[in-house]
Amino acid sequence: MGDSRHNDELAAREFGTDAGAAGTSDAGSSVRARGDGVNDALLDASPDALLGIAPDGTISMANAAATRLFGVARDQLIGSDHRRLLKKGFRNEIVQIYRHLKERQEEPVPPREVYGVHSNGTEFAAEAAGALLESGNETQLLASIRSISHRKADTDLHEALSLLTATLESTADGILVISRDGKLSGLNEQFLKMWGIPPELVQGSEAAPVIRLVLEQVADPDAFLARIAEIDNDPASESHDVLDFKDGRTLERYSRPQRVGDRIAGRVWSFRDVTPRRLAQEQAQQAMTDLAAQAEQLRALAFRDPLTGLANRAVFNDGLAAALGAPRLKSVDVLLIDLDDFKEVNDILGHQAGDDMLVEVARRLRRCVPTADVVARLGGDEFVVLLTDCPDADDIAADIVRSLHVPVTISGTVLRPSLSMGLASMGHEEIGTNELLRHADIAMYAAKAAGKNRFIRFHPDMMTALVQRTDMLTGLQLAVARREISVAFQPIVSPRMGQVVQFEALARWNRDGERIPPSVFIPMAERSGLIGEIGAEVMARSLVRLAPWLSEDPSRSLAVNVSGVQLQEPDFAEGVLALAEASGVGAYQLVLEVTESVFFDPDNNLIKQLASLRETGARVSLDDFGTGYSSLGRLQDLPVDEVKIDKTFVSMVRTGRERLPILSSMINMAHSLGLRVTAEGVETAAQADYLTALECDSLQGYLFSLPVTGSRMELAIQQANEAIQALKGR
């Protein structure tokens, strides 16, 4: 009912003014008013608020309970509109009561729920009932209003207690409440299950029987009791510790005071079973321990050539840098050695014969230069010797040529090794490590051109090779513009899923019909700063070519190699995301392969670039995993999602029956840190089976497919699938 005149008239019509009609109602729904004070006394004695309401909605009578309920004096109630005493939305309820009385006199009038408004503005829940009241020549309504706020409070309390009980019973934690006097105040079902306590044992309020059963289970009862005594001495304290059980379980124990207002009424104990987490931590620790036990072997692989046992390129570079940085030395000599026609040994006698030849050359080389600072194999059939403060470098070089040219029997065939050597020296002039090695390289090619099996000392006019390299750099600067840079794709398979899940994009350079090896032009591109332009070209072409294949399955991905030089570009991450968006490829389908050296660059911007890409869903893969000692020790601190085991380790698997704890430790450790593992260089079924048994996530290598052009991707997928099926049939 509104407050306008129109609504007043409507209310009057609802109540009606036909006294005759009202007089026909029976005694159950109508009351005759008396003119004396008897009714007033009876009305004031009622605990319910009673209001006489005239046909126009105004209050004609109010008892004492009404003044208390609404906080309005009786003389202010009488003559006012009763609807102002009700909350909006409930002001038509009195009319509904009256209508029920008028139209359905034979039916009882059920109370109606309303909300009243106190004079101070607060609202309260109530229920209203009524009866028709004959007064003079008109029919009024005698309305009875009773507050039911206490019922609402009881209902809310019951619901809160029900919610609390349901919460306690649904939690995985065991809950126990002990009062200040040591009595059981409450517990949940999970506590009984966790401690194996029979329900009948907690029927009473005594905590002693429960404590005895608890002490029988914990591994250190004395420490358990001592901790409880310590907490009892400080009731306001909170605690957190770990309990070990005799049966091998481990629980975390939390404790805090139970407060009622400002008073501490008891203590709440919470127990959580953390046994699975502890076991997982122990397994991860064991994997780390196993890895540490093989640290020396891994270190040897990182700094030694696995075939010959000589130092590797990294050791030589460090030694040369140290030698050139020490001014006390009178001279530094570099002897760069390349075997002549070594490819023919591999082609005619096989790779095993070639390996035997390299081992024998390494043995003779060590014998010739026992006092050398470093004797290293740079790769393939290339060796290098570092001499410092040596007065007879030329004599040593001549002795090496003579000693290595002695015949040797390989696979039943007598061979006479031949070598070409370049000798470069630093005297009193300053020279960089790269420049000195370049001089030795130029001299070595001069020795080959001079007839092989000899050494030649570098001199400034030997610049032909340098000119050729300069020409190559010039060509590389124009390679992108001339569209000479192409992309090859090599599939990566998931043994578990039995299908190709990823392609790695590989840069290729075709210059005037000649394919320049990536091992030649990629380092040149990095040194010259061209790698950014070439990398962007490879990324763009790869995304466009693979976009349809990637869109078919969100679990598929594209892996692209990223150089540390590219990451130094401040807008690298932004550019990658822009290329992905332009091609319709989600960032989550990108895998950026980086080498360990990226994470040791003093420029922290490189790490920030990778972090910003990972935030968009892109993944970071650590390439050549295992070839750097520090990558194994710091793996858990690196911002990577995957690791890629270097093919050097995969090649250790020959028959598939080897015991290679290095491989298993690497994979287990990566998995324990939540990282995926891909093995590259898989060439045989034995290697694939071995790695699959170690639960390696993905495999890549010639066994499944060579790198192919974009137009042959479907053929590569088919070949990979056939290889997978063949492995399943083994």
Side-chain angles (χ1 to χ4, degrees):
M1 297 168 60
D3 294 329
S4 67
R5 180 178 179 183
H6 171 75
N7 287 337
D8 288 342
E9 293 172 354
L10 176 61
R13 290 197 298 271
E14 288 290 352
F15 278 90
T17 56
D18 186 356
T24 61
S25 59
D26 58 32
S29 59
S30 177
V31 178
R32 289 185 185 276
R34 294 178 54 179
D36 54 29
V38 176
N39 276 340
D40 292 340
L42 291 174
L43 294 174
D44 283 340
S46 173
D48 296 338
L50 300 177
L51 298 174
I53 302 176
D56 62 356
T58 60
I59 300 172
S60 61
M61 177 275 295
N63 68 348
T67 64
R68 292 192 299 271
L69 182 63
F70 295 102
V72 181
R74 192 190 310 241
D75 57 350
Q76 293 178 342
L77 285 172
I78 295 176
S80 66
D81 193 327
H82 79 282
R83 290 164 295 200
R84 292 191 176 92
L85 300 177
L86 301 176
K87 178 182 176 181
K88 288 183 179 180
F90 294 89
R91 292 175 176 172
N92 197 39
E93 297 299 319
I94 301 299
V95 174
Q96 299 299 327
I97 294 174
Y98 177 77
R99 181 182 297 168
H100 190 113
L101 291 171
K102 289 277 289 180
E103 298 176 357
R104 291 175 284 178
Q105 300 178 16
E106 71 283 355
E107 297 180 9
V109 183
R112 302 181 74 88
E113 185 174 335
V114 298
Y115 273 82
V117 181
H118 194 272
S119 61
N120 62 10
T122 60
E123 300 174 353
F124 57 88
E127 62 181 16
L132 296 179
L133 177 67
E134 296 181 16
S135 177
N137 60 351
E138 66 178 5
T139 300
Q140 297 190 13
L141 178 68
L142 179 62
S144 170
I145 302 175
R146 175 182 299 174
S147 174
I148 59 172
S149 297
H150 63 285
R151 298 184 196 171
K152 291 289 184 182
D154 290 344
T155 300
D156 293 343
L157 178 60
H158 178 74
E159 291 178 354
L161 290 175
S162 175
L163 177 60
L164 177 60
T165 300
T167 301
L168 289 176
E169 292 302 335
S170 63
T171 181
D173 294 348
I175 306 296
L176 174 67
V177 184
I178 303 292
S179 65
R180 284 295 304 275
D181 58 1
K183 304 293 185 181
L184 291 175
S185 297
L187 50 82
N188 65 353
E189 186 69 22
Q190 183 63 23
F191 173 80
L192 298 179
K193 293 179 180 179
M194 187 176 290
W195 290 89
I197 298 175
E200 59 270 14
L201 195 62
V202 296
Q203 293 301 319
S205 60
E206 292 296 329
V210 175
I211 295 296
R212 283 195 297 271
L213 185 57
V214 166
L215 292 177
E216 294 175 0
Q217 301 181 59
V218 295
D220 191 345
D222 293 337
F224 183 91
L225 292 175
R227 185 59 173 158
I228 292 179
E230 180 183 343
I231 293 174
D232 286 344
N233 293 332
D234 186 6
S237 67
E238 297 186 7
S239 69
H240 171 216
D241 56 4
V242 175
L243 296 176
D244 291 324
F245 278 53
K246 294 178 181 178
D247 61 6
R249 288 183 297 151
T250 299
L251 298 188
E252 281 186 345
R253 174 173 58 177
Y254 300 84
S255 171
R256 63 184 305 166
Q258 177 195 12
R259 298 183 183 273
V260 179
D262 296 331
R263 180 176 62 88
I264 296 178
R267 180 162 290 275
V268 179
W269 296 87
S270 173
F271 301 90
R272 177 171 300 175
D273 192 339
V274 294
T275 306
R277 186 176 70 190
R278 175 181 60 81
L279 293 176
Q281 291 173 341
E282 291 176 354
Q283 291 173 355
Q285 183 61 38
Q286 184 60 46
M288 295 297 291
T289 301
D290 293 342
L291 187 63
Q294 301 176 43
E296 287 304 317
Q297 186 175 1
L298 291 173
R299 184 179 180 85
L301 289 171
F303 296 104
R304 294 287 172 182
D305 174 53
L307 176 63
T308 64
L310 297 179
N312 63 11
R313 181 184 294 270
V315 175
F316 169 76
N317 288 339
D318 291 343
L320 179 58
L324 295 179
R328 69 181 183 278
L329 297 176
K330 297 180 180 179
S331 65
V332 176
D333 300 290
V334 172
L335 287 67
L336 186 62
I337 302 163
D338 186 87
L339 299 183
D340 298 326
D341 304 318
F342 178 74
K343 184 176 181 299
E344 295 182 3
V345 177
N346 282 327
D347 293 343
I348 297 173
L349 301 180
H351 288 282
Q352 183 58 54
D355 288 349
D356 293 342
M357 170 76 85
L358 294 174
V359 170
E360 176 61 19
V361 168
R363 186 188 67 80
R364 295 183 181 185
L365 192 57
R366 273 194 299 258
R367 189 177 60 189
C368 290
V369 286
T371 60
D373 293 76
V374 178
V375 180
R377 180 189 176 205
L378 297 184
D381 61 340
E382 195 170 54
F383 298 83
V384 67
V385 176
L386 173 64
L387 301 172
T388 58
D389 199 15
C390 178
D392 53 353
D394 289 78
D395 293 339
I396 291 176
D399 186 49
I400 291 175
V401 174
R402 287 193 301 270
S403 298
L404 266 61
H405 198 50
V406 174
V408 59
T409 301
I410 302 292
S411 299
T413 302
V414 177
L415 302 175
R416 172 170 281 189
S418 173
L419 63 90
S420 296
M421 181 192 307
L423 172 58
S425 303
M426 183 205 76
H428 298 288
E429 74 283 3
E430 292 187 2
I431 189 172
T433 56
N434 291 337
E435 186 177 359
L436 187 58
L437 190 59
R438 184 183 301 114
H439 288 176
D441 189 52
I442 293 172
M444 183 267 291
Y445 278 106
K448 284 187 178 294
K452 304 179 182 178
N453 196 42
R454 68 192 63 215
F455 84 93
I456 291 182
R457 176 178 283 278
F458 172 81
H459 52 83
D461 59 354
M462 293 181 178
M463 300 304 296
T464 303
L466 183 59
V467 170
Q468 292 175 344
R469 294 183 185 182
T470 303
D471 176 66
M472 181 176 293
L473 178 58
T474 302
L476 189 59
Q477 292 171 338
L478 301 173
V480 173
R482 292 175 175 174
R483 301 189 64 81
E484 294 177 351
I485 299 297
S486 60
V487 183
F489 300 93
Q490 187 171 31
I492 299 175
V493 305
S494 167
R496 180 180 61 82
M497 299 176 64
Q499 62 184 12
V500 176
V501 295
Q502 187 180 106
F503 272 98
E504 180 180 4
L506 303 167
R508 295 291 185 262
W509 182 21
N510 297 293
R511 186 189 189 198
D512 298 330
E514 178 187 3
R515 173 170 292 181
I516 310 299
S519 59
V520 173
F521 78 84
I522 291 296
M524 181 180 295
E526 290 180 328
R527 290 193 300 268
S528 63
L530 294 171
I531 192 65
E533 181 183 6
I534 294 174
E537 178 75 5
V538 171
M539 178 78 72
R541 290 196 179 194
S542 302
L543 287 168
V544 171
R545 185 64 184 81
L546 260 68
W549 182 75
L550 293 172
S551 65
E552 294 175 0
D553 188 341
S555 67
R556 295 173 176 173
S557 56
L558 165 66
V560 181
N561 291 279
V562 175
S563 166
V565 179
Q566 292 175 264
L567 291 171
Q568 291 175 350
E569 300 173 4
D571 58 349
F572 172 76
E574 181 180 347
V576 169
L577 296 176
L579 288 174
E581 182 179 3
S583 60
V585 175
Y588 65 91
Q589 292 182 292
L590 287 179
V591 179
L592 306 177
E593 295 190 5
V594 298
T595 59
E596 174 194 356
S597 60
V598 167
F599 301 106
F600 298 97
D601 194 289
D603 184 3
N604 193 45
N605 184 58
L606 275 65
I607 307 300
K608 291 181 180 179
Q609 295 267 25
L610 294 177
S612 63
L613 286 167
R614 293 180 78 206
E615 289 175 358
T616 66
R619 288 170 286 165
V620 176
S621 176
L622 182 61
D623 202 4
D624 301 333
F625 178 55
T627 59
Y629 172 73
S630 52
S631 68
L632 299 175
R634 296 185 62 235
L635 183 58
Q636 60 184 347
D637 300 323
L638 300 181
V640 299
D641 307 282
E642 305 175 1
V643 295
K644 205 165 188 181
I645 296 177
D646 188 72
K647 59 185 178 182
T648 303
F649 297 94
V650 175
S651 65
M652 295 179 181
V653 181
R654 299 180 184 275
T655 65
R657 295 187 294 274
E658 296 89 348
R659 293 187 71 256
L660 300 173
I662 295 176
L663 274 175
S664 60
S665 294
M666 292 169 68
I667 294 174
N668 290 338
M669 185 191 67
H671 282 167
S672 70
L673 296 175
L675 306 178
R676 292 179 54 82
V677 181
T678 297
E680 61 180 347
V682 180
E683 298 184 357
T684 67
Q687 292 172 344
D689 290 339
Y690 192 93
L691 292 165
T692 300
L694 293 179
E695 298 184 358
C696 187
D697 301 291
S698 303
L699 306 177
Q700 178 182 3
Y702 291 171
L703 175 65
F704 304 101
S705 173
L706 297 172
V708 298
T709 61
S711 61
R712 297 176 60 83
M713 280 180 54
E714 292 298 330
L715 183 60
I717 293 175
Q718 179 182 348
Q719 181 179 341
N721 289 336
E722 291 174 354
I724 294 172
Q725 293 303 317
L727 289 174
K728 290 182 177 180
R730 283 168 59 86

